[in-house]
Structures are given as C-alpha cells and as structure tokens.
Amino acid sequence: MGDRQGTTGLRQPWQSSQALLLLPVALIAVITVVEVHSPQDFHLASALVIAPALTASFAGPRTTAAVGALTVVAQSLIGLLHGELATANRIVQLITLTVLSVLVVIYCAIRDRRHEQLVRVRSVAETAQHVLMWPLPEQMGFVRIASLYLAAEDEAQIGGDLYAATRAFGGVRVLIGDVRGKGLSAIGEAATLLGAFREAAHRRPVLTDLAESLEQSVQRYAADFEPPEEAGERFATALLVEIPDGYPVVRMATCGHPPPLLLCQGRRVTVPTLHPSPPLGVQGCGLGAGGCGPAARELDEIPFEPGDTLLLYTDGVIEARDADGRFYPLAERVARWCDAPPDTLVQHVQRDLVAHTGGRLDDDAAVVVLHRTSAVRGRQHVRIIETGVFRPSTGPAAR
C-alpha cells in the first residue's frame, strides 16, 4: 500500500504537467491553421513565441525546449505553404523565434537549479533544527506538551529562539529562551545554551543553580567567540520551569524572559508575578562587598493543579505587529481557547499569529504549552528552602 501511494504521489504532478502541456500545443496548432488559411498580409505567426514562454511556467527545460522546437517547425511550415520560406522576412522570424526559445529554456534551467538549491538549503535547515532542538514529546510524566517554532528567516527553520524539555529529579524540566539576534547568526549561541541545559538539568537539583550553570556557559561562549565590536552585547533571556510529579505546583526561575500565561482549567488567564533577574550573559550587581558580580536568581513557586495549562513564549510572539503597528494580544486571544488541548491551542496561536502579521514575522517566535494531566498527592516531595538545602516534606512548598 505504501509503495502504491508513493507511486501515485509521483504520478500526479506528471499527469498535471501533461494536461497543461495541451494548452501550448493547441495554441501552436491554432496559430498555424489560422496563419495558413489567411491572406499573406495577415501575420499571426509571431505569436508562436507565447507557447514556449507558457510552457516554462509549469514544465522543465527539456519540455520547454521541445515546445520551442515545435514552434520553429510550425513557423517553417507556414513559410513553406505560403511559398516564402526563403524570404528575408521569414528567415528573420525563424531566427528571432529560435533565439527567444533558447533564452526561455536557459531561464527555465536556471530557475530549476535555484529551486533545487533552495530545497537543499531547507533540508539542511530542517536537519539542523532537529539536531539542535530535539522535537518535544507529546507526554512527559504527568505533563502533556505541544510546541511551535516560527523562524523569521525565510530560508531558515531555526534561529535565536529555543526550547528543550527533560525529566530529572522526579519531575519535568523545561527551558525556553531567546538569544539576541535572529536567523543563522544566533544558532551558535542557541546550540550552546541547549547543550548546557541538557547536561546541567540532570546535575543541578536546584533550579536557580541550573540557571547559574547556564550563565557560566553563556559567559564562556561570549569570551571565546564574541567579536570585539560586540563586547557586552551578547546575551540570552531564558525561563526555567520545573513541574514535580508529586505535588501540584510549578517552579520557575526567570532570566530576563517574559512570564508565562497560566490557564486555570479553562476558567481564566493570568500572568504569574515572577522575581525579576537580568538575562544570561549580563552581569548584575550582587549584595556582597565585591560589588558587581553574577546576578542573584530567585525561585518562584505557584499552584499548578491538574487541568491547568502553562503557555511559555518568546518575545517574538508578543512583539509581532500587524499592518497598523499593533502588538499581538496573546493573553486576550488565548482566553478564547482555554479549554483547547495543547496541540489544538498551539495550532490556534499559529494561525492567529500568522494572520495578525500578514504572514511576515520580524523576529523568531516560539511557544511551548504544558498541560498538567494529574498529580500524585500524598507522595513525598522535595521543596527548596532559602538556603538551597533540600528536605523532604508533604506540605506546600514555601518560597
């Protein structure tokens, strides 16, 4: 069955081209018949050049060349039947028609070559996206996941926005981030941040320590690859999310990233208040005697009951503008789809965002939807206290 479907898929474009080919062939036949049965002072043969030009719009160079050769034959037949094949006027028409047909074939060949190059570039971009940003699973533990990525670059399917998810320390950990810049210039930094998260997420039990590990990776990357003229301008925003299996809460550590939207079982959309902190790669001023140093990160914890949904996004979503310069009202639009499952919610956002911008984004945009399906109450869970030391507890976690 699969082979038959594949053969059918390949046959349909060819059958379509065959049907369209009847149009230029019929055009040549009509022009030839009308010209032969018309007075000698009635000249319609010059319109034969329309046939190869029309063929080039849907066929390849070989078919276009065949139609071009057919027009030259038709022009010669018209001259022969009129008894003026050897006249200067007819010879000039034949030469002109031949040259124009050759030029159309050359254009057709160049167009097809560029199309093949574009297909290869897109294939490489898609492969790079899957290597750098592994597709998120539909389910991790008690969390259903759906994601969306829209690159601002037409020929690239990956840019400065990023996301990743993994299971570690009895829960689901998710990263969403935005590297300064867009397109291919930001891929290196995005790859560094993704690699650092995948490694440190399994070694750092405390979410704020995980953020510090990402900070160190970004700093090392900037020191090794940052051009002198861009010194201090390389940074990345990030939001780290942790959903423990054993208790209906969500923990978050923000690094200059926009806060998520919380959809509480289809009833309302709220924006959690998170402790602000600077982006990764931007040194902050600490409280110690040393003055400026690594930025202090704080952990936020809010209720996240079964049936609740968390929508993470990058600023490319909320800063997308319409033709009148108005920003995309994400929270207002999402309120219409509170009851939608994660994959449907992502589809709604994608269609609505593309319609809002007219199909043209000025910045990369990413969305990750996390839906809590259930929680195992009564299980012992771990909470983080202010000193960063862990202790088991069965009650609500304190900030």
Side-chain angles (χ1 to χ4, degrees), residues 242-323:
E242 182 179 69
I243 304 174
D245 293 341
Y247 203 76
V249 297
V250 57
R251 303 177 185 125
M252 291 177 282
T254 179
C255 305
H257 198 82
L261 299 181
L262 179 62
L263 289 64
C264 295
Q265 301 188 43
R267 296 191 303 272
R268 64 186 185 279
V269 177
T270 59
V271 180
T273 301
L274 306 181
H275 289 90
S277 65
L280 301 172
V282 177
Q283 292 290 340
C285 291
L287 300 176
C292 291
R297 314 283 182 188
E298 294 194 52
L299 187 69
D300 294 283
E301 184 177 284
I302 61 173
F304 194 54
E305 298 286 345
D308 289 351
T309 299
L310 202 64
L311 190 146
L312 320 178
Y313 57 90
T314 59
D315 58 7
V317 177
I318 57 176
E319 294 180 1
R321 299 174 182 264
D322 62 9

Side-chain angles (χ1 to χ4, degrees), residues 120-197:
R120 288 196 294 269
V121 168
R122 287 178 174 173
S123 177
V124 171
E126 185 176 357
T127 302
Q129 183 181 31
H130 287 143
V131 169
L132 295 180
M133 284 202 310
W134 305 334
L136 300 183
E138 296 181 359
Q139 183 89 26
M140 270 192 173
F142 300 105
V143 180
R144 291 180 59 189
I145 304 175
S147 60
L148 166 67
Y149 194 102
L150 297 174
E153 297 286 345
D154 289 336
E155 312 307 335
Q157 299 185 20
I158 185 171
D161 289 8
L162 55 99
Y163 51 71
T166 187
R167 280 194 58 80
F169 301 103
V172 176
R173 287 185 161 186
V174 179
L175 162 71
I176 187 168
D178 184 3
V179 173
R180 180 183 179 273
K182 64 180 180 179
L184 298 178
S185 62
I187 289 180
E189 293 176 71
T192 298
L193 196 54
L194 287 169
F197 170 78

